[in-house]
Amino acid sequence: MCNQLIITLGREFGSGGHEIARRLAERFDLPLLEENILHKVAEEKGMDKGAVGLYDEKPKLHGVYRTVHGFNNSPENVVAHMQFEHMKELAEAGKSFLVVGRCGEEVLKDYDCMVSIFVLADQEFKIQRIMERESISYEDALLLMDRKNRSRKLYHNQYCKGKWGDSRNYEISINSSKLGIEGTTDLLERYIRARMEEEKQSPCKN
């Protein structure tokens, strides 16, 4: 892995994936990239961060915007590619970071220093976490979970060859409801450190 480490983490809504990402970023001393990617890019381009943020990780709405020469000029598409390019620029510059969602495993697939993770969980585990976090009923938590995961799936599959959540598209997929948030983080940390040790002597191919 040379001296660069990139972790990409996709997640089901309610699985605790974001919390796991935060803990991994702390343990490996990595910048955590999420909506702050968009804020930085928007600031650099003189765009309104609040307005641009409305389209963060949102699927394109087909039939609403024109497509010219294969380019869809929807704001969702523009925002997605702004983030993809920013991630590529960081990786090309040799930066280490952890990115949550945003098609990271596809956008950065050419980097041998990347470890791609997908966090899933049993339905009841997810619903209970959503109920506690949002202070909503079981039924509302179920509806919110389904809506969020459907949106993430559509967004991902519009930009990636591999399907969202398909274990074949990630280096490791893990069910966080089996070991809990802390136990899952511990296991992933050990795996990543083992990968780093195994490839420490390998020539960089990026």
Side-chain angles (χ1 to χ4, degrees), residues 16-154:
H18 185 272
E19 176 62 20
I20 291 168
R22 185 187 65 79
R23 296 186 185 198
L24 285 174
E26 289 178 353
R27 295 186 188 191
F28 287 95
D29 194 25
L30 298 174
L32 179 62
L33 305 184
E34 39 187 346
E35 66 268 13
N36 57 348
I37 301 177
L38 193 54
H39 294 165
K40 181 174 178 56
V41 175
E43 185 176 345
E44 290 175 351
K45 295 181 179 294
M47 303 169 71
D48 183 86
K49 291 186 287 187
V52 173
L54 296 174
Y55 305 104
D56 187 25
E57 279 198 296
K58 295 294 191 301
K60 293 177 288 187
L61 300 177
H62 294 293
V64 177
Y65 299 94
R66 295 185 305 125
T67 298
V68 180
H69 301 303
F71 179 76
N72 187 311
N73 63 349
S74 73
E76 296 87 356
N77 191 64
V78 172
V79 167
H81 282 283
M82 284 169 54
Q83 294 185 84
F84 299 161
E85 289 305 313
H86 184 66
M87 287 189 284
K88 288 178 181 177
E89 288 172 3
L90 291 176
E92 188 64 26
K95 303 292 186 180
S96 295
F97 54 89
L98 190 158
V99 60
V100 178
R102 294 160 179 81
C103 303
E105 85 287 350
E106 174 82 13
V107 174
L108 303 169
K109 64 183 179 181
D110 293 331
Y111 289 84
D112 294 327
C113 59
M114 181 189 74
V115 178
S116 59
I117 299 166
F118 189 84
V119 179
L120 60 146
D122 293 345
Q123 179 164 294
E124 290 304 311
F125 178 85
K126 292 183 289 188
I127 291 176
Q128 289 302 318
R129 290 193 75 257
I130 296 168
M131 288 173 61
E132 293 174 8
R133 187 179 63 198
E134 305 292 337
S135 299
I136 55 178
S137 68
Y138 184 98
E139 292 75 17
D140 287 341
L142 178 60
L143 289 172
L144 179 60
M145 180 186 70
D146 288 343
R147 178 169 59 83
K148 288 284 190 178
N149 283 332
R150 183 166 58 251
S151 178
R152 288 178 181 179
K153 180 178 181 180
L154 285 172

